[in-house]
Amino acid sequence: MSNYPKLRFGVVGIDHRHIYDQVKSLLEIGSECAGYWTAGETYIEKGFVERFPDIPRIDDRQQLLEDPSIQLITCAAIPYQRADFAIEAMLHGKDFMVDKPGVTTLDQLERVKKVQRETGQIYSINFTEHFEVRAVTTATELVRSGAIGRVIQTVGLGSHRLNRATRPAWFFDPVQYGGILVDIASHQIEQFLHFTGSADAEIVSARYGNVGHPDDPGLQDFGEIALANEMAGGYIRVDWFTPDGLATWGDGRLTILGTEGYIELRKYIDIAGRPGKDHLFIVNQNETRYIDCSQARLPYYTDLKRDIFERTETAMTHRHCFKVCELALTAQAVAKSINRKDV
């Protein structure tokens, strides 16, 4: 990567904490941040400034968009705003990397796809439960090597802690965050396609609702999806019910079932077990083994940098990115709305 020029990027929208990892990881691969712009005051701006005191705040985002030395715009704005920021950046000749969900409606998705095709700019959604999890890198290598045979099912569990007191108003408005299946479950849909090597899937069934927070009627605190194609099936459960007694924000898990064995990832904590995160368990015809994945690579950012300078699609193809969005939006649209007595 040292043969490439320095990558310069700007930040547009800091409404979600995922922007911390986006900026940190870009800086770690030798990039330079020209500045950040965000609308008004956000609840995470103080934390952003504490982490990155040398990055200036820009009053007019056009300054970033019109700077010819900036190749990339990264974004973690309020979800329903992200598509317009992406389109704006691509029309200014910038590549764009965004926190999930990149879009919140099918109309937004079609507009983003159209502009991406017309401009040839990179549009990439950083699915953090894949690209920021070292255990996923190891699991990918194991699956690709045939360690568990052909993958026939994934089970993805995405439990999150609500932290009610810290959440902004948009967090409780489904129009602004897109719904729980668009927001959180996009992670697990992406991993289903990734580990099964699939280009598409069918939403077999889906449900979402507010089953435990009657004082916040706009919150969708529980959701589930069954999806499948001719090669494999998948089950997804996402929720905002991580209890305060857990030592981290969520017990994210992924089980990958193959014809010759299975892999389980305990991404963020091994409850009442080993310390730290990035735990992997593999069982196949030869062994039962635990793998500490804490030193595994996270190739997404170096791959994205290569893509920016070589105009390739190694970090993630646009076809894959847009298909994940389409499936998440479809699941949200066809899902049965449930209430407290249905679960």
Side-chain angles (χ1 to χ4, degrees), residues 86-315:
I87 290 169
E88 182 180 61
M90 289 189 287
L91 290 175
H92 280 81
K94 313 297 186 191
D95 295 325
F96 191 80
M97 186 259 285
V98 64
D99 179 25
K100 60 78 213 164
V103 295
T104 55
T105 68
L106 286 167
D107 175 70
Q108 287 184 359
L109 175 59
E110 290 307 310
R111 290 192 292 119
V112 168
K113 289 169 65 176
K114 180 175 183 292
V115 172
Q116 190 282 315
R117 287 194 303 267
E118 291 174 347
T119 63
Q121 298 300 140
I122 293 170
Y123 174 86
S124 187
I125 298 176
N126 183 352
F127 293 105
T128 55
E129 292 197 29
H130 176 169
F131 298 129
E132 306 278 2
V133 176
R134 297 179 189 276
V136 173
T137 303
T138 302
T140 298
E141 294 168 353
L142 289 168
V143 169
R144 298 292 184 262
S145 73
I148 59 170
R150 178 172 56 86
V151 175
I152 56 175
Q153 190 203 38
T154 64
V155 176
L157 306 181
S159 179
H160 290 60
R161 179 175 290 130
L162 182 58
N163 290 328
R164 175 65 180 83
T166 69
R167 299 295 182 177
W170 64 260
F171 182 85
F172 301 95
D173 180 356
V175 172
Q176 296 193 65
Y177 68 81
I180 192 170
L181 302 181
V182 169
D183 183 12
I184 303 179
S186 60
H187 285 303
Q188 286 73 28
I189 292 172
E190 191 277 331
Q191 288 164 88
F192 170 83
L193 295 180
H194 172 73
F195 282 110
T196 61
S198 300
D200 203 351
E202 174 190 0
I203 303 301
V204 177
S205 65
R207 304 195 307 162
Y208 71 84
N210 183 320
V211 300
H213 298 86
D215 293 336
D216 295 305
L219 175 67
Q220 296 172 11
D221 58 20
F222 176 87
E224 59 185 351
I225 301 171
L227 70 167
N229 57 29
E230 67 280 4
M231 297 184 293
Y235 172 75
I236 295 165
R237 191 205 76 215
V238 290
D239 66 77
W240 289 101
F241 286 106
T242 294
D244 290 342
L246 193 71
T248 190
W249 58 266
D251 187 8
R253 298 190 182 196
L254 176 67
T255 299
I256 308 162
L257 177 64
T259 55
E260 301 295 329
Y262 64 91
I263 292 169
E264 181 181 355
L265 307 186
R266 298 188 180 185
K267 297 180 179 181
Y268 310 114
I269 190 170
D270 181 10
I271 57 171
R274 301 166 180 84
K277 57 184 182 178
D278 288 300
H279 306 280
L280 184 150
F281 304 85
I282 179 169
V283 181
N284 60 21
Q285 306 295 359
N286 301 315
E287 61 181 346
T288 296
R289 180 162 56 116
Y290 165 77
I291 302 176
D292 176 357
C293 304
S294 60
Q295 302 304 309
R297 299 177 308 116
L298 290 175
Y300 172 77
Y301 289 94
T302 53
D303 288 347
L304 181 63
K305 181 176 180 178
R306 180 185 302 110
D307 292 339
I308 289 170
F309 287 108
E310 297 189 3
R311 310 317 296 169
T312 50
E313 296 189 10
T314 62

